[in-house]
Amino acid sequence: MSACTPTVKVEAPDKPIEINLNIRIEQEVRVKVERDLEKAIADDPALFGLPPDSGAKGGKKP
């Protein structure tokens, strides 16, 4: 009976454990670009084909 007892072996892997973390950090960059764009539109709306009195933040059209 002693020959049929199961054994469990714990061994370290040959290769290192690799953990892939695919993290998207998009929101911060997007907010910065939007703020820069709003400032650029406010500074020179004609550059973007807008009338001079249209505000960048309001988004209201006459």
Side-chain angles (χ1 to χ4, degrees):
M1 270 203 183
S2 65
C4 294
T5 57
T7 57
V8 176
K9 292 183 181 181
V10 178
E11 296 179 8
D14 296 337
K15 298 178 183 177
I17 298 172
E18 184 178 329
I19 300 173
N20 291 326
L21 295 176
N22 294 324
I23 299 172
R24 292 178 60 181
I25 303 173
E26 182 178 320
Q27 186 174 5
E28 180 181 340
V29 174
R30 187 172 181 175
V31 168
K32 186 174 189 307
V33 170
E34 287 177 359
R35 287 183 185 156
D36 290 345
L37 184 60
E38 285 177 354
K39 184 180 181 307
I41 292 172
D43 290 346
D44 192 5
L47 181 67
F48 297 92
L50 300 172
D53 60 347
S54 70
K57 291 186 179 185
K60 296 177 183 175
K61 296 182 180 178

